[in-house]
Coordinates of all heavy atoms in Angstrom, one line a residue:
M418 N 0.8 -1.2 0.0 CA 0.0 0.0 0.0 C 0.9 1.3 0.0 O 0.6 2.2 -0.7 CB -1.0 0.0 1.2 CG -1.8 1.1 1.3 SD -3.1 1.1 0.0 CE -4.1 2.4 0.4
N419 N 1.9 1.3 0.8 CA 2.8 2.4 0.9 C 3.5 2.7 -0.5 O 3.7 3.9 -0.9 CB 3.8 2.3 1.9 CG 3.3 2.5 3.4 OD1 2.2 3.1 3.5 ND2 3.9 2.0 4.4
N420 N 3.8 1.6 -1.2 CA 4.5 1.8 -2.5 C 3.5 2.4 -3.5 O 3.9 3.3 -4.2 CB 4.9 0.4 -3.0 CG 5.7 0.6 -4.2 OD1 6.3 1.6 -4.5 ND2 5.8 -0.5 -5.0
F421 N 2.2 2.0 -3.4 CA 1.2 2.6 -4.3 C 1.0 4.1 -4.0 O 1.0 5.0 -4.9 CB -0.1 1.9 -4.1 CG -1.3 2.6 -4.9 CD1 -1.4 2.4 -6.2 CD2 -2.2 3.3 -4.2 CE1 -2.4 3.1 -7.0 CE2 -3.3 3.9 -4.9 CZ -3.3 3.8 -6.3
V422 N 1.0 4.5 -2.7 CA 0.8 5.9 -2.3 C 2.0 6.7 -2.7 O 1.9 7.8 -3.2 CB 0.6 5.9 -0.8 CG1 0.6 7.4 -0.3 CG2 -0.7 5.3 -0.4
S423 N 3.2 6.2 -2.6 CA 4.4 6.9 -2.9 C 4.5 7.1 -4.4 O 4.9 8.1 -4.9 CB 5.7 6.3 -2.4 OG 5.9 5.0 -2.9
R424 N 4.1 6.1 -5.2 CA 4.1 6.2 -6.7 C 3.1 7.2 -7.1 O 3.3 8.0 -8.0 CB 3.7 4.9 -7.3 CG 4.9 3.8 -7.2 CD 4.4 2.5 -7.7 NE 5.0 2.4 -9.1 CZ 4.6 1.5 -9.9 NH1 3.6 0.7 -9.6 NH2 5.2 1.3 -11.1
R425 N 1.9 7.2 -6.5 CA 0.9 8.2 -6.8 C 1.3 9.6 -6.5 O 1.1 10.5 -7.2 CB -0.4 7.8 -6.1 CG -1.6 8.7 -6.5 CD -2.9 8.2 -6.1 NE -3.9 9.1 -6.6 CZ -5.1 9.2 -6.1 NH1 -5.5 8.4 -5.1 NH2 -6.0 10.0 -6.6
A426 N 2.0 9.7 -5.3 CA 2.5 11.1 -4.9 C 3.5 11.6 -5.9 O 3.5 12.8 -6.2 CB 3.0 11.0 -3.5
A427 N 4.4 10.7 -6.3 CA 5.4 11.1 -7.3 C 4.8 11.5 -8.6 O 5.2 12.5 -9.2 CB 6.4 9.9 -7.5
M428 N 3.7 10.7 -9.1 CA 3.1 11.1 -10.3 C 2.4 12.5 -10.2 O 2.4 13.3 -11.1 CB 2.0 10.0 -10.7 CG 2.7 8.8 -11.2 SD 1.6 7.4 -11.6 CE 0.0 8.0 -11.8
L429 N 1.8 12.7 -9.0 CA 1.1 14.0 -8.8 C 2.1 15.1 -8.8 O 1.9 16.3 -9.4 CB 0.3 14.0 -7.5 CG -0.9 13.2 -7.6 CD1 -1.6 13.1 -6.2 CD2 -1.9 13.7 -8.6
V430 N 3.3 14.9 -8.2 CA 4.4 16.0 -8.2 C 4.8 16.2 -9.6 O 5.0 17.4 -10.0 CB 5.5 15.6 -7.3 CG1 6.7 16.4 -7.5 CG2 5.1 15.6 -5.8
C431 N 5.0 15.2 -10.4 CA 5.4 15.3 -11.8 C 4.4 16.1 -12.6 O 4.7 17.0 -13.4 CB 5.7 14.0 -12.4 SG 7.2 13.2 -11.9
L432 N 3.1 15.7 -12.4 CA 2.0 16.4 -13.1 C 2.0 17.9 -12.7 O 1.9 18.8 -13.5 CB 0.7 15.8 -12.8 CG -0.5 16.4 -13.4 CD1 -0.5 16.4 -14.9 CD2 -1.8 15.8 -12.9
G433 N 2.1 18.2 -11.4 CA 2.1 19.5 -10.9 C 3.3 20.3 -11.5 O 3.1 21.5 -11.9
M434 N 4.5 19.8 -11.6 CA 5.6 20.5 -12.2 C 5.4 20.7 -13.7 O 5.8 21.8 -14.2 CB 6.9 19.7 -11.9 CG 7.3 19.6 -10.4 SD 7.6 21.1 -9.7 CE 9.1 21.6 -10.4
T435 N 4.9 19.7 -14.4 CA 4.6 19.9 -15.8 C 3.6 21.1 -16.0 O 3.8 21.9 -16.9 CB 4.0 18.6 -16.4 OG1 5.0 17.6 -16.2 CG2 3.7 18.7 -17.8
L436 N 2.5 21.1 -15.2 CA 1.6 22.2 -15.4 C 2.2 23.5 -15.0 O 1.9 24.5 -15.6 CB 0.3 21.9 -14.5 CG -0.6 20.7 -15.0 CD1 -1.7 20.5 -14.0 CD2 -1.1 21.0 -16.3
L437 N 3.0 23.5 -14.0 CA 3.6 24.8 -13.5 C 4.4 25.4 -14.6 O 4.4 26.6 -14.8 CB 4.5 24.5 -12.3 CG 5.3 25.7 -11.7 CD1 4.3 26.6 -11.1 CD2 6.3 25.2 -10.7
Y438 N 5.1 24.5 -15.4 CA 6.0 25.1 -16.5 C 5.2 25.2 -17.8 O 5.6 26.0 -18.6 CB 7.2 24.2 -16.7 CG 8.2 24.4 -15.5 CD1 8.3 23.4 -14.6 CD2 8.9 25.6 -15.3 CE1 9.2 23.5 -13.5 CE2 9.8 25.7 -14.3 CZ 9.9 24.7 -13.3 OH 10.8 24.8 -12.3
T439 N 4.2 24.5 -18.0 CA 3.4 24.6 -19.3 C 2.4 25.7 -19.3 O 2.3 26.4 -20.3 CB 2.8 23.2 -19.5 OG1 3.7 22.2 -19.4 CG2 2.1 23.2 -20.9
I440 N 1.6 25.9 -18.3 CA 0.6 26.8 -18.3 C 1.0 28.2 -18.5 O 0.4 28.9 -19.3 CB -0.4 26.6 -17.1 CG1 -1.1 25.3 -17.2 CG2 -1.4 27.8 -16.9 CD1 -2.0 24.9 -16.0
P441 N 2.0 28.7 -17.8 CA 2.4 30.1 -18.0 C 2.8 30.3 -19.5 O 2.5 31.4 -20.0 CB 3.6 30.3 -17.1 CG 3.3 29.4 -15.9 CD 2.7 28.1 -16.6
A442 N 3.5 29.4 -20.1 CA 3.9 29.6 -21.5 C 2.7 29.7 -22.4 O 2.6 30.5 -23.3 CB 4.8 28.5 -21.9
S443 N 1.7 28.7 -22.2 CA 0.5 28.8 -23.0 C -0.4 29.9 -22.7 O -1.2 30.3 -23.5 CB -0.2 27.4 -22.9 OG -0.6 27.2 -21.6
A444 N -0.4 30.4 -21.4 CA -1.3 31.5 -21.1 C -0.9 32.8 -21.8 O -1.6 33.7 -21.9 CB -1.2 31.7 -19.5
Q445 N 0.4 32.8 -22.3 CA 0.8 34.0 -23.0 C 0.3 34.0 -24.5 O 0.5 34.9 -25.2 CB 2.3 34.1 -23.0 CG 2.8 34.4 -21.6 CD 4.3 34.4 -21.6 OE1 5.0 34.2 -22.5 NE2 4.9 34.5 -20.3
S446 N -0.3 32.9 -24.9 CA -0.9 32.8 -26.2 C -2.2 33.7 -26.2 O -3.2 33.4 -25.7 CB -1.3 31.4 -26.5 OG -0.2 30.6 -26.5
G447 N -2.1 34.8 -26.9 CA -3.1 35.8 -26.9 C -4.4 35.3 -27.6 O -4.4 34.4 -28.4
V448 N -5.5 35.9 -27.2 CA -6.8 35.7 -27.8 C -6.8 36.4 -29.2 O -6.7 37.6 -29.2 CB -8.0 36.2 -26.9 CG1 -9.3 36.0 -27.6 CG2 -7.9 35.4 -25.6
Q449 N -7.0 35.7 -30.2 CA -7.1 36.3 -31.5 C -8.6 36.8 -31.8 O -8.8 37.8 -32.3 CB -6.8 35.2 -32.6 CG -5.4 34.7 -32.5 CD -4.3 35.7 -32.6 OE1 -4.3 36.5 -33.6 NE2 -3.3 35.7 -31.8
S450 N -9.5 35.9 -31.4 CA -11.0 36.3 -31.5 C -11.8 35.4 -30.6 O -11.3 34.4 -30.1 CB -11.4 36.2 -32.9 OG -11.4 34.9 -33.4
F451 N -13.0 35.8 -30.4 CA -13.9 34.9 -29.6 C -15.4 35.1 -30.2 O -15.6 36.2 -30.7 CB -13.9 35.2 -28.1 CG -14.5 36.6 -27.7 CD1 -15.8 36.6 -27.3 CD2 -13.8 37.7 -27.7 CE1 -16.4 37.8 -26.9 CE2 -14.3 38.9 -27.4 CZ -15.6 39.0 -27.0
T452 N -16.2 34.1 -30.0 CA -17.6 34.2 -30.4 C -18.4 33.5 -29.2 O -18.0 32.6 -28.6 CB -17.8 33.4 -31.7 OG1 -17.4 32.1 -31.5 CG2 -17.2 34.0 -32.9
R453 N -19.6 34.1 -29.0 CA -20.5 33.5 -28.1 C -21.6 32.8 -28.8 O -22.2 33.4 -29.8 CB -21.1 34.6 -27.2 CG -22.0 34.0 -26.1 CD -22.6 35.1 -25.3 NE -23.7 34.4 -24.4 CZ -24.3 35.1 -23.5 NH1 -24.1 36.4 -23.3 NH2 -25.3 34.5 -22.9
N454 N -22.0 31.6 -28.4 CA -23.1 30.9 -29.0 C -23.8 30.2 -27.8 O -23.4 29.1 -27.3 CB -22.5 29.8 -30.0 CG -23.7 29.1 -30.7 OD1 -24.8 29.5 -30.6 ND2 -23.3 28.0 -31.4
G455 N -24.9 30.8 -27.4 CA -25.7 30.3 -26.3 C -24.9 30.3 -25.0 O -24.4 31.4 -24.6
N456 N -24.8 29.1 -24.4 CA -24.0 29.0 -23.2 C -22.5 28.8 -23.3 O -21.8 28.5 -22.4 CB -24.5 27.9 -22.3 CG -25.9 28.1 -21.7 OD1 -26.4 29.3 -21.8 ND2 -26.5 27.2 -21.1
T457 N -22.0 28.9 -24.6 CA -20.7 28.6 -24.9 C -19.9 29.8 -25.4 O -20.5 30.6 -26.2 CB -20.6 27.5 -26.0 OG1 -21.3 26.4 -25.5 CG2 -19.2 27.1 -26.4
V458 N -18.7 30.0 -25.1 CA -17.8 31.0 -25.6 C -16.6 30.3 -26.2 O -15.9 29.6 -25.5 CB -17.4 32.1 -24.5 CG1 -16.5 33.1 -25.1 CG2 -18.6 32.7 -23.8
D459 N -16.4 30.5 -27.5 CA -15.2 29.9 -28.2 C -14.2 31.0 -28.4 O -14.4 32.0 -28.9 CB -15.7 29.3 -29.5 CG -16.7 28.2 -29.4 OD1 -16.3 27.2 -28.6 OD2 -17.7 28.2 -29.9
F460 N -12.9 30.6 -28.1 CA -11.8 31.5 -28.3 C -10.8 30.9 -29.3 O -10.5 29.7 -29.2 CB -11.0 31.7 -27.0 CG -11.8 32.4 -25.9 CD1 -12.6 31.7 -25.0 CD2 -11.8 33.8 -25.8 CE1 -13.3 32.3 -24.0 CE2 -12.5 34.4 -24.8 CZ -13.3 33.7 -23.9
R461 N -10.4 31.7 -30.3 CA -9.3 31.3 -31.2 C -8.1 31.9 -30.6 O -8.0 33.2 -30.5 CB -9.6 31.8 -32.6 CG -8.5 31.2 -33.5 CD -8.9 31.5 -35.0 NE -9.1 32.9 -35.3 CZ -8.1 33.7 -35.7 NH1 -6.9 33.2 -35.8 NH2 -8.4 35.0 -35.9
L462 N -7.1 31.1 -30.2 CA -5.9 31.6 -29.6 C -4.8 31.6 -30.6 O -4.9 31.0 -31.7 CB -5.5 30.7 -28.4 CG -6.6 30.5 -27.3 CD1 -6.1 29.5 -26.3 CD2 -7.0 31.8 -26.7
A463 N -3.7 32.2 -30.2 CA -2.5 32.2 -31.2 C -2.0 30.8 -31.3 O -1.4 30.4 -32.3 CB -1.4 33.1 -30.6
S464 N -2.2 29.9 -30.3 CA -1.8 28.5 -30.4 C -2.9 27.5 -30.0 O -2.7 26.8 -29.1 CB -0.6 28.3 -29.5 OG -0.9 28.6 -28.2
G465 N -4.0 27.6 -30.7 CA -5.1 26.6 -30.5 C -6.4 27.2 -30.3 O -6.7 28.4 -30.7
K466 N -7.3 26.4 -29.7 CA -8.7 26.8 -29.5 C -9.0 26.5 -28.0 O -8.5 25.5 -27.5 CB -9.6 25.9 -30.4 CG -9.4 26.0 -31.8 CD -10.3 26.9 -32.5 CE -10.0 26.9 -34.0 NZ -10.6 28.0 -34.6
L467 N -9.9 27.4 -27.5 CA -10.3 27.2 -26.1 C -11.9 27.4 -26.1 O -12.4 28.3 -26.7 CB -9.7 28.2 -25.2 CG -10.2 28.3 -23.8 CD1 -9.8 27.1 -22.9 CD2 -9.8 29.6 -23.1
Q468 N -12.6 26.5 -25.4 CA -14.0 26.6 -25.4 C -14.4 26.5 -23.9 O -14.0 25.6 -23.1 CB -14.7 25.5 -26.1 CG -16.2 25.6 -26.1 CD -16.9 24.4 -26.9 OE1 -16.9 23.3 -26.4 NE2 -17.3 24.6 -28.1
L469 N -15.2 27.5 -23.5 CA -15.8 27.6 -22.1 C -17.3 27.4 -22.3 O -17.9 28.2 -23.0 CB -15.5 28.9 -21.5 CG -14.0 29.3 -21.4 CD1 -13.9 30.6 -20.7 CD2 -13.3 28.2 -20.5
R470 N -17.9 26.4 -21.6 CA -19.3 26.2 -21.6 C -19.8 26.4 -20.3 O -19.4 25.7 -19.3 CB -19.7 24.8 -22.1 CG -21.2 24.6 -22.3 CD -21.5 23.3 -22.9 NE -21.3 22.1 -22.1 CZ -22.2 21.5 -21.4 NH1 -23.4 21.9 -21.5 NH2 -21.9 20.5 -20.6
L471 N -20.7 27.4 -20.1 CA -21.2 27.6 -18.8 C -22.4 26.7 -18.6 O -23.5 27.0 -19.2 CB -21.7 29.1 -18.6 CG -20.5 30.0 -18.3 CD1 -19.7 30.3 -19.6 CD2 -20.9 31.3 -17.7
A472 N -22.3 25.7 -17.8 CA -23.3 24.6 -17.7 C -24.3 25.1 -16.6 O -25.5 24.7 -16.7 CB -22.6 23.3 -17.2
A473 N -23.8 25.8 -15.6 CA -24.7 26.4 -14.6 C -24.0 27.6 -14.0 O -22.9 27.9 -14.4 CB -24.9 25.4 -13.4
S474 N -24.6 28.3 -13.1 CA -24.0 29.6 -12.6 C -22.7 29.3 -11.9 O -21.9 30.2 -11.7 CB -25.0 30.3 -11.7 OG -25.3 29.5 -10.6
D475 N -22.5 28.0 -11.4 CA -21.2 27.8 -10.7 C -20.5 26.6 -11.3 O -19.6 26.0 -10.7 CB -21.6 27.4 -9.2 CG -22.5 26.3 -9.1 OD1 -23.1 25.9 -10.1 OD2 -22.7 25.8 -8.0
I476 N -20.8 26.2 -12.6 CA -20.1 25.1 -13.3 C -19.7 25.6 -14.7 O -20.5 26.0 -15.5 CB -21.0 23.9 -13.4 CG1 -21.4 23.3 -12.0 CG2 -20.3 22.8 -14.2 CD1 -22.4 22.3 -12.0
V477 N -18.4 25.4 -15.0 CA -17.9 25.8 -16.3 C -17.1 24.6 -16.8 O -16.2 24.1 -16.2 CB -16.9 27.0 -16.2 CG1 -16.3 27.3 -17.6 CG2 -17.6 28.2 -15.6
Q478 N -17.4 24.2 -18.0 CA -16.7 23.1 -18.7 C -15.6 23.7 -19.6 O -16.0 24.6 -20.4 CB -17.6 22.2 -19.5 CG -16.9 21.1 -20.2 CD -17.9 20.2 -21.1 OE1 -19.0 20.7 -21.3 NE2 -17.4 19.1 -21.5
V479 N -14.4 23.3 -19.4 CA -13.3 23.9 -20.2 C -12.7 22.9 -21.2 O -12.4 21.8 -20.7 CB -12.2 24.4 -19.3 CG1 -11.0 25.0 -20.0 CG2 -12.7 25.4 -18.3
Q480 N -12.6 23.2 -22.4 CA -11.9 22.3 -23.4 C -10.9 23.2 -24.1 O -11.1 24.3 -24.5 CB -12.9 21.8 -24.4 CG -13.8 20.8 -23.8 CD -14.8 20.2 -24.9 OE1 -15.5 20.9 -25.5 NE2 -14.6 18.9 -25.1
Y481 N -9.7 22.5 -24.3 CA -8.6 23.2 -25.0 C -7.9 22.2 -26.0 O -7.8 21.0 -25.7 CB -7.5 23.7 -24.1 CG -6.3 24.2 -24.8 CD1 -6.3 25.5 -25.4 CD2 -5.2 23.4 -24.9 CE1 -5.2 25.9 -26.1 CE2 -4.1 23.9 -25.6 CZ -4.1 25.1 -26.2 OH -3.0 25.5 -26.9
T482 N -7.5 22.7 -27.1 CA -6.7 21.9 -28.1 C -5.7 22.8 -28.7 O -6.0 24.0 -28.9 CB -7.6 21.2 -29.1 OG1 -6.8 20.4 -29.9 CG2 -8.3 22.2 -30.0
A483 N -4.6 22.3 -29.1 CA -3.6 23.0 -29.9 C -3.9 22.8 -31.4 O -3.2 23.5 -32.2 CB -2.2 22.5 -29.5
L484 N -4.8 22.0 -31.7 CA -5.2 21.8 -33.1 C -6.2 22.8 -33.6 O -6.5 23.7 -32.8 CB -5.9 20.4 -33.2 CG -5.0 19.2 -32.7 CD1 -5.8 17.9 -32.7 CD2 -3.7 19.1 -33.4
D485 N -6.6 22.7 -34.8 CA -7.5 23.7 -35.4 C -8.9 23.5 -35.0 O -9.7 24.5 -35.1 CB -7.3 23.7 -36.9 CG -6.0 24.2 -37.4 OD1 -5.4 25.0 -36.7 OD2 -5.6 23.8 -38.5
K486 N -9.2 22.4 -34.5 CA -10.7 22.1 -34.2 C -10.7 21.2 -32.9 O -9.9 20.3 -32.8 CB -11.3 21.3 -35.3 CG -12.8 21.1 -35.2 CD -13.4 20.4 -36.4 CE -14.9 20.1 -36.2 NZ -15.5 19.4 -37.2
L487 N -11.7 21.6 -32.1 CA -11.9 20.8 -30.9 C -12.5 19.5 -31.2 O -13.4 19.4 -32.1 CB -12.8 21.5 -29.9 CG -12.2 22.7 -29.1 CD1 -13.3 23.5 -28.5 CD2 -11.3 22.1 -28.1
Q488 N -12.1 18.4 -30.6 CA -12.7 17.1 -30.8 C -13.9 17.0 -29.9 O -14.0 17.6 -28.9 CB -11.7 16.0 -30.4 CG -10.4 16.0 -31.2 CD -10.7 15.8 -32.7 OE1 -11.4 15.0 -33.1 NE2 -10.0 16.6 -33.5
A489 N -14.9 16.2 -30.3 CA -16.1 16.1 -29.5 C -16.4 14.7 -29.1 O -17.5 14.1 -29.3 CB -17.3 16.6 -30.3
P490 N -15.5 14.0 -28.4 CA -15.7 12.7 -27.9 C -16.7 12.8 -26.7 O -16.8 13.8 -26.0 CB -14.4 12.2 -27.4 CG -13.7 13.4 -27.0 CD -14.1 14.5 -28.0
P491 N -17.5 11.7 -26.4 CA -18.4 11.7 -25.3 C -17.6 11.8 -24.0 O -16.5 11.3 -23.8 CB -19.1 10.4 -25.3 CG -18.2 9.5 -26.2 CD -17.5 10.4 -27.1
S492 N -18.1 12.7 -23.1 CA -17.4 13.0 -21.9 C -17.5 11.8 -20.9 O -18.6 11.2 -20.7 CB -17.9 14.2 -21.2 OG -17.3 14.4 -20.0
L493 N -16.4 11.4 -20.3 CA -16.4 10.4 -19.3 C -16.7 11.0 -17.9 O -16.8 10.3 -16.9 CB -15.1 9.6 -19.3 CG -14.7 9.0 -20.6 CD1 -13.3 8.4 -20.5 CD2 -15.8 7.9 -20.9
V494 N -16.7 12.3 -17.8 CA -16.9 13.0 -16.5 C -18.3 13.6 -16.4 O -19.0 13.5 -15.3 CB -15.8 14.1 -16.3 CG1 -16.0 14.8 -15.0 CG2 -14.4 13.4 -16.4
V495 N -18.7 14.4 -17.4 CA -20.0 15.1 -17.4 C -21.1 14.1 -17.8 O -21.1 13.6 -18.9 CB -19.9 16.3 -18.3 CG1 -21.3 17.1 -18.3 CG2 -18.8 17.2 -17.9
N496 N -22.1 13.9 -17.0 CA -23.2 13.0 -17.4 C -24.5 13.8 -17.3 O -25.6 13.2 -17.3 CB -23.2 11.8 -16.4 CG -23.4 12.2 -15.0 OD1 -23.6 13.3 -14.6 ND2 -23.4 11.1 -14.1
N497 N -24.5 15.1 -17.3 CA -25.7 15.9 -17.3 C -25.6 16.8 -18.6 O -24.6 17.4 -18.8 CB -25.7 16.8 -16.0 CG -27.0 17.5 -15.8 OD1 -27.7 17.8 -16.8 ND2 -27.3 17.8 -14.6
A498 N -26.7 17.0 -19.2 CA -26.7 17.8 -20.5 C -26.7 19.3 -20.1 O -26.3 20.1 -21.0 CB -28.0 17.5 -21.3
F499 N -27.1 19.7 -19.0 CA -27.1 21.1 -18.6 C -27.7 22.0 -19.8 O -27.1 22.9 -20.3 CB -25.7 21.6 -18.3 CG -25.1 21.0 -17.1 CD1 -24.1 20.1 -17.2 CD2 -25.5 21.4 -15.8 CE1 -23.6 19.5 -16.0 CE2 -25.0 20.8 -14.7 CZ -24.0 19.9 -14.8
A500 N -29.0 21.7 -20.1 CA -29.6 22.3 -21.2 C -30.2 23.7 -20.9 O -30.5 24.5 -21.8 CB -30.7 21.5 -21.8
A501 N -30.4 24.0 -19.6 CA -31.0 25.3 -19.2 C -30.0 26.4 -19.6 O -28.8 26.3 -19.3 CB -31.3 25.2 -17.7
P502 N -30.6 27.5 -20.1 CA -29.8 28.7 -20.4 C -29.2 29.3 -19.1 O -29.8 29.3 -18.1 CB -30.7 29.7 -21.1 CG -32.1 29.2 -20.9 CD -32.0 27.8 -20.4
V503 N -28.0 29.8 -19.2 CA -27.3 30.5 -18.1 C -27.1 32.0 -18.5 O -26.7 32.3 -19.6 CB -25.9 29.8 -17.9 CG1 -25.1 30.6 -16.8 CG2 -26.0 28.4 -17.5
S504 N -27.5 32.8 -17.5 CA -27.4 34.2 -17.8 C -26.0 34.7 -17.5 O -25.4 34.6 -16.4 CB -28.4 35.0 -16.9 OG -28.2 36.4 -17.1
F505 N -25.3 35.3 -18.6 CA -24.0 35.8 -18.4 C -23.7 36.8 -19.6 O -24.4 36.8 -20.5 CB -22.9 34.7 -18.4 CG -22.7 34.0 -19.6 CD1 -21.6 34.4 -20.5 CD2 -23.4 32.9 -20.0 CE1 -21.4 33.7 -21.7 CE2 -23.2 32.3 -21.2 CZ -22.2 32.7 -22.1
S506 N -22.7 37.6 -19.4 CA -22.3 38.6 -20.4 C -20.8 38.4 -20.6 O -20.1 37.9 -19.8 CB -22.7 40.0 -20.1 OG -22.0 40.4 -18.9
V507 N -20.4 38.8 -21.8 CA -18.9 38.8 -22.2 C -18.5 40.2 -22.4 O -19.1 40.9 -23.3 CB -18.7 37.9 -23.4 CG1 -17.2 37.9 -23.7 CG2 -19.2 36.5 -23.2
K508 N -17.5 40.7 -21.7 CA -17.0 42.0 -21.9 C -15.5 42.0 -22.3 O -14.7 41.2 -21.8 CB -17.0 42.8 -20.5 CG -18.4 42.9 -19.9 CD -19.3 43.9 -20.7 CE -20.6 44.0 -20.0 NZ -21.6 44.7 -20.7
E509 N -15.2 42.7 -23.3 CA -13.8 42.7 -23.9 C -13.2 44.1 -23.6 O -13.8 45.1 -23.9 CB -13.9 42.4 -25.4 CG -12.5 42.4 -26.0 CD -12.6 42.1 -27.5 OE1 -13.6 42.3 -28.1 OE2 -11.6 41.7 -28.1
T510 N -11.9 44.0 -23.2 CA -11.1 45.2 -23.1 C -9.8 44.9 -23.9 O -9.6 43.8 -24.3 CB -10.7 45.6 -21.6 OG1 -9.8 44.5 -21.1 CG2 -11.9 45.7 -20.7
P511 N -9.0 45.9 -24.1 CA -7.7 45.6 -24.8 C -6.8 44.6 -24.2 O -6.0 43.9 -24.8 CB -7.0 46.9 -24.9 CG -8.1 48.0 -24.8 CD -9.1 47.4 -23.9
E512 N -6.9 44.5 -22.8 CA -6.1 43.5 -22.1 C -6.7 42.2 -21.8 O -6.0 41.2 -21.5 CB -5.7 44.2 -20.7 CG -4.8 45.4 -20.8 CD -5.6 46.6 -21.0 OE1 -6.8 46.7 -20.6 OE2 -5.1 47.6 -21.7
E513 N -8.1 42.1 -21.8 CA -8.7 40.8 -21.3 C -10.1 40.7 -21.9 O -10.7 41.6 -22.4 CB -8.7 40.8 -19.8 CG -9.5 41.9 -19.2 CD -9.4 42.0 -17.7 OE1 -8.5 41.2 -17.1 OE2 -10.1 42.8 -17.1
V514 N -10.6 39.4 -21.8 CA -12.0 39.1 -22.0 C -12.6 38.6 -20.8 O -12.0 37.6 -20.2 CB -12.1 38.1 -23.2 CG1 -13.6 37.7 -23.4 CG2 -11.4 38.6 -24.5
R515 N -13.6 39.2 -20.3 CA -14.2 38.8 -19.0 C -15.6 38.2 -19.3 O -16.4 38.7 -20.0 CB -14.4 40.0 -18.1 CG -13.2 40.5 -17.5 CD -13.5 41.5 -16.4 NE -12.2 41.9 -15.8 CZ -12.2 42.5 -14.6 NH1 -13.3 42.7 -14.0 NH2 -11.0 42.8 -14.1
I516 N -15.9 37.1 -18.5 CA -17.2 36.5 -18.6 C -17.8 36.8 -17.2 O -17.3 36.4 -16.2 CB -17.1 35.0 -18.8 CG1 -16.5 34.7 -20.2 CG2 -18.5 34.3 -18.7 CD1 -16.2 33.3 -20.5
L517 N -18.9 37.5 -17.2 CA -19.6 38.0 -16.0 C -21.0 37.3 -15.9 O -21.7 37.2 -16.8 CB -19.8 39.5 -16.0 CG -18.5 40.3 -16.3 CD1 -18.8 41.7 -16.6 CD2 -17.5 40.2 -15.2

């Protein structure tokens, strides 16, 4: 059991370090454009696509790809369609895009 725990801890540390060094570099990929379609906001980035789906007032589904198009495989995590509309607005400034 201790071997399993230490292996899992090591994997989590490796994942954390990878994210620590990867996210800041990709966060500098500026937003080229964005579109809103219902509960979804799609961003075209300098290095890929980002999609934010507001499923509820406190739930956001995030998808990212470095490719030109997001893949749409069935989710193994989300098992609710979240079909009800969510009230939000998108505000753009020269420095940022805010979802309120």
